[in-house]
Amino acid sequence: MALIVHKYGGTSVGNAERIRNVARRIAKWSRAGHQIVVVVSAMSGETNRLIALAKEVQPNPDPRELDVVASTGEQVTIGLLAMALKELGLKAKSYTGPQVHVLTDSAFTKARIVDIDEKKIRADLAVGTVVVVAGFQGADEHGNITTLGRGGSDTSAVALAAALKADECLIYTDVDGVYTTDPRIVPEARRLNTVTFEEMLEMASLGSKVLQIRSVEFAGKYKVKLRVLSSLTDADLPLAQEANSGTLITFEEDTQMEKAVISGIAFSRDEAKITLTRVPDRPGIAYKILGAIADANIDVDMIVQNISVEGTTDFSFTVHRNEYQKAMDVLESTVKGLIGAKQIVGDPKICKVSIVGIGMRSHVGVASLMFRTLSEEGINIQMISTSEIKTSVVVEDKYMELAVRALHKAFGLEQVPA
Ligand code: ADP
Ligand code: ASP
Ligand code: MG
């Protein structure tokens, strides 16, 4: 008997029939003798609808109240799934995040899980009850409802698996695993049987929405066995077959590793670029610019500054597109005069495309193949950043799909590595 956490995303619980199907799948696992905790998202489209509704009432919604509204989608699905399980003759009980003490900090709309009290869940599991928990939500120390950021149910599931020391956390979704890139953009994308934790962390942080980055961080920290698999297969698929399907996130680098130089391509339209032109090239300038941005609680991603020829230089960086206007305002109102920049030029029409793979450590020429491929497509590179296992470029956003497809082909990602 094992303790297993299942997580079902929005599409997987998108209507009553799908919820009944999820229940059948869970019943199969439960009847095989496993203890099951299920984390669910809101029905697909529901969180978007709730956020849009909030904005109709208050264009810039109060964060505390926005979380009160946005968290309700998950409360609907836990109740419905518990009902569907009972219909199948199982013992089941639904809980909101706060009801099982998912304690978070108070950063509304992007809260972090601090602690989970798993006693109540254990007591239910001990008497054979399937426990259904709402993803995406918790409460802070004052009892305020919080949410964990978009895609946060993945993190709820992995955090619960860590707290319960579960044998495995299965992330059921609308694709049958982690692919070399988003199969919606590149139909030839190939499913990976395994992907290393480090690669998954990069892919998630660089824009692959298949797992929320914090869920991968949790899995790494607590060594949670994590698998991504399809919720859309036949619910009666033999359990042994299902248990080995999808993509396993591994912590070892050499066992059964598919020997590719790069494992995947991630992309993101979520960023915007800001350039301050002709800033003086002297100590303290980067601090004045980025210090003001940090004081406004805005995260910065890529940064580029060159040496100066005539005592001034251009200074560029990227921020999340949601925070672009705020960053521009901070720069215009305080920084520009302070440092004597000539102009502040903002460009929200950019995207970031990244290649990821631990094979980059031992292969040279990987980045140069990336740059050659983009140049052959006539795509101008605006910024570059690298780490040991990734190379990212910023390009004009109209080229995003072209860049991803061209790179996927150039690196031969559609082929199974020898
Ligand atoms: P869920 O609602 O189950 O959480 P998401 O929409 O959040 O599902 O994540 C699954 C989606 O992630 C897929 O439908 C796919 O379009 C997208 N995706 C992006 N990159 C990848 C990738 N590398 N592999 C698989 N899916 C990806
Ligand atoms: N329902 C939330 C969202 O749409 C959380 C999730 O789906 O993981 O972002
Ligand atoms: Mg998701």
Side-chain angles (χ1 to χ4, degrees), residues 7 9 41 151-152 154 173 209-212:
K7 180 259 169 176
S41 299
D154 297 332
T173 183
K209 298 215 161 79
V210 61
L211 284 178
Q212 197 200 36

Side-chain angles (χ1 to χ4, degrees), residues 276 330-344:
L276 291 93
V330 169
L331 294 174
E332 285 288 351
S333 61
T334 63
V335 178
K336 196 173 172 188
L338 195 66
I339 62 170
K342 183 149 195 290
Q343 238 191 333
I344 298 174

